[in-house]
Amino acid sequence: MPDCRLLADTPPVVPDHRRNVPILTLTLLTIAAASLAGTNDGPLLFTDVTTAAGIGFVETIGDDDMTNIVESTGVGCGLLDYDGDGWLDIYLVNSCWLEGVSDPKLDAKRRQTLAAATGRLYRNCRDGTFEDVTTRAGLARPGYGMGVVVADYDGDGDPDIYVTNYGPNFLFRNNGDGTFAEVARNAGVDDPAFSVGAVFFDYDHDGRLDLYVGNYITYDPTVTPEHAQDVVRSPLLYAGQPDRLFRGNADGTFTDVTRTAGLEVQPPGRAMGVAAFDYDGDGWLDVFVANDAMENHLWHNQGDGTFQNRALLAGVAFGESGAAAASMAVEVGDYDNDGLLDVLVPDMTQCCLYRNLGRGLFEDVAVRAGLAAAMNRYHSWGGVLADFDLDGALDIYIATGNACRLQGQENCVFVGDGHGRFTDVSASAGPALAQKFVSRGVARGDFDNDGDVDLLINNLNDRPVLLRNDTPRGERHWLGIELVGRPPNRDAIGALVKVTVGGRTMVRSRLSGGSYLCQHDPRLHFGIGPHRQADRVDITWPDGTCQMLDNAPADQYLVVRQGTPPPGTNEQPLRSRSGGENRRGMD
């Protein structure tokens, strides 16, 4: 987050071409992209369907105006299938009026209303609409929310919800009957700090999910602005808080192993986004922490229960300029289709796009990739890598919003060519992209099961935005992979999937969380262009065992269960031709 003393009187300038986008008309733009599909058949196109979907939620920062850094930091959102019906449901994080943070001068009735605000769970009705089931599900619990991450932490077959707060965090255990029980304190993960990003992952290969919680700053309300316009102060005025690593136990509880894992550093970081992935391909999940107003951390998993910070050596501690950025999100994906996982880190000045060079090294290529010049006018928060047009190349969506005021900005979308270049197509992607919100988290997922990636954005003191992907697909196809691992890691977090089609191999990793304070669709999505089947699907499970599928038909969500071959086949040692349930689009 930037020092708002420098920005209070000079709001970010939006590009002129964005101001001229008409609300009721579209200027179509054909993007040439060398990819699986050759030349793209049409533009990216998104439609705001929030109201039509029945989502009546309005987020609150607990105040009528943004007056401090706590109010500026949240909020995220999540896509999950909480009831196991094969359709994505929605969780929206919310804040509330909180003493010591919110304006005490609000009248008593309004304070009482805002103090009762909670996050909301919306059930997918499978017809394009959603039903608010928050109270029925037992999730109406006020807290000053920041982020959400979802995983089946206890291995009982249904997804649980972890919500980070300014204050003690929540762990909502799924009871399997449409309701949840809040168990954070009993489970030992009710971290009382200013928690933001978090991820579930199995860092020690014991099969149980562990939890990394990124903590931000020690907020001091007595630090007051020097000038009236300085409504939000720089994070440099506050000390960072140490992150926490909780090791999962066999009984559904966790143990704080931060110190023994070597994760305590001085000074502590100012964590925002967090991601756990195997950046160097050694089989152990590492942790990338996007820190605000200081260098990032890249915690290399040593394989012995300890971690070592290799951010500087790996080239991800700083941006291309060599200066510490105000890093926000961490989004992982192979944007250039070279088989290595890259990292997108939106920040307050532009964006960092760390290209994985192999051998544990990265290079920030945001300038030559075409991102930096387009994004230096915005305050960037959530970032998404996804193949919106099904051409086999990852595209980018970035949520923006003023860090210092409740002043909206347009969000941005870029189409990728699969070879490392991105083109800003925000002006032609539909009227929804011309709307201005104070956006924070953005989650990706196919909420309508039609095979393309939609988006959910949570906005401060405003309604969320559910963007349906209406990009013309022509003859382009897709394949979704839903992984079911062996208990207790039934989510198969840490698995790696490679899809080979038309002579090209695409890589996705089953990760927890994503973007800024958000949870993505747990299914892995591949655009495969004009091809009606994937030639080969290779799955490396978290325990290192492998499975292979030949000639997987396109346009379906294929559920693959670890080690279970389809009827009539023989499982081979460490490699099986595994089938599973087919969930075709809109069935």
Side-chain angles (χ1 to χ4, degrees), residues 200-547:
F200 286 100
F201 71 125
D202 180 11
Y203 82 92
D204 53 2
H205 281 192
D206 67 353
R208 295 187 292 271
L209 290 181
D210 312 300
L211 176 64
Y212 188 102
V213 177
N215 290 321
Y216 188 32
I217 60 169
T218 300
Y219 172 64
D220 182 356
T222 66
V223 176
T224 56
E226 297 174 3
H227 305 288
Q229 69 269 28
D230 300 336
V231 293
V232 178
R233 297 304 302 273
S234 166
L236 293 172
L237 296 174
Y238 308 98
Q241 290 185 331
D243 299 346
R244 290 284 174 249
L245 175 63
F246 299 97
R247 187 186 66 226
N249 302 320
D251 59 359
T253 66
F254 294 81
T255 300
D256 187 342
V257 295
T258 310
R259 176 171 297 179
T260 58
L263 291 166
E264 289 191 342
V265 293
Q266 293 298 330
R270 299 185 188 92
M272 299 296 271
V274 179
F277 70 107
D278 182 8
Y279 78 90
D280 56 356
D282 66 355
W284 297 84
L285 292 179
D286 313 293
V287 179
F288 189 113
V289 182
N291 285 315
D292 191 6
M294 61 179 291
E295 69 275 11
N296 300 319
H297 292 158
L298 179 60
W299 293 107
H300 178 258
N301 192 331
Q302 304 286 88
D304 59 1
T306 67
F307 293 80
Q308 183 183 70
N309 185 14
R310 293 191 181 174
L312 188 59
L313 292 175
V316 296
F318 305 102
E320 189 171 13
S321 67
S327 299
M328 297 294 133
V330 184
E331 178 78 350
V332 177
D334 180 13
Y335 78 91
D336 53 359
N337 284 331
D338 65 354
L340 300 173
L341 295 175
D342 312 298
V343 184
L344 171 69
V345 181
D347 63 45
M348 291 293 99
T349 55
Q350 47 183 45
C351 272
C352 293
L353 181 61
Y354 295 109
R355 180 172 180 256
N356 194 330
L357 305 176
R359 305 178 307 280
L361 301 175
F362 292 82
E363 178 188 12
D364 183 7
V365 297
V367 172
R368 66 174 179 265
L371 289 177
M375 294 310 303
N376 64 10
R377 302 168 184 262
Y378 298 95
H379 296 169
S380 304
W381 298 82
V384 159
L385 285 164
D387 185 0
F388 297 122
D389 53 7
L390 310 181
D391 67 351
L394 291 180
D395 310 303
I396 291 176
Y397 185 96
I398 297 179
T400 73
N402 197 295
C404 308
R405 293 174 172 173
L406 290 176
Q407 183 177 65
Q409 299 176 350
E410 308 96 340
N411 292 342
C412 303
V413 63
F414 299 80
V415 67
D417 65 3
H419 300 286
R421 291 287 301 176
F422 293 89
T423 302
D424 184 353
V425 296
S426 308
S428 63
L433 269 293
Q435 299 177 115
K436 295 184 179 182
F437 293 96
V438 186
S439 298
R440 292 299 186 256
V442 52
R444 54 173 162 80
D446 183 7
F447 81 87
D448 51 5
N449 278 349
D450 67 350
D452 53 27
V453 178
D454 311 300
L455 295 165
L456 175 68
I457 304 102
N458 211 356
N459 302 306
L460 295 187
N461 262 24
D462 214 326
R463 67 175 179 89
V465 175
L466 180 63
L467 292 181
R468 187 182 64 212
N469 188 344
D470 290 332
T471 301
R473 65 179 65 182
E475 296 299 318
R476 293 188 296 274
H477 301 277
W478 58 278
L479 179 65
I481 305 291
E482 181 178 344
L483 301 177
V484 181
R486 291 194 181 103
N489 186 5
R490 298 177 62 103
D491 290 328
I493 290 174
L496 192 72
V497 176
K498 298 180 180 180
V499 169
T500 301
V501 58
R504 173 177 291 182
T505 298
M506 295 170 285
V507 176
R508 307 280 190 272
S509 187
R510 171 64 171 100
L511 304 178
S512 170
S515 183
Y516 180 66
L517 313 184
C518 285
Q519 174 63 56
H520 293 322
D521 186 341
R523 302 169 297 186
L524 303 180
H525 179 273
F526 299 82
I528 59 174
H531 303 277
R532 296 184 179 275
Q533 66 179 22
D535 302 326
R536 175 167 166 164
V537 178
D538 288 280
I539 303 167
T540 302
W541 296 94
D543 62 5
T545 59
C546 303
Q547 290 180 242

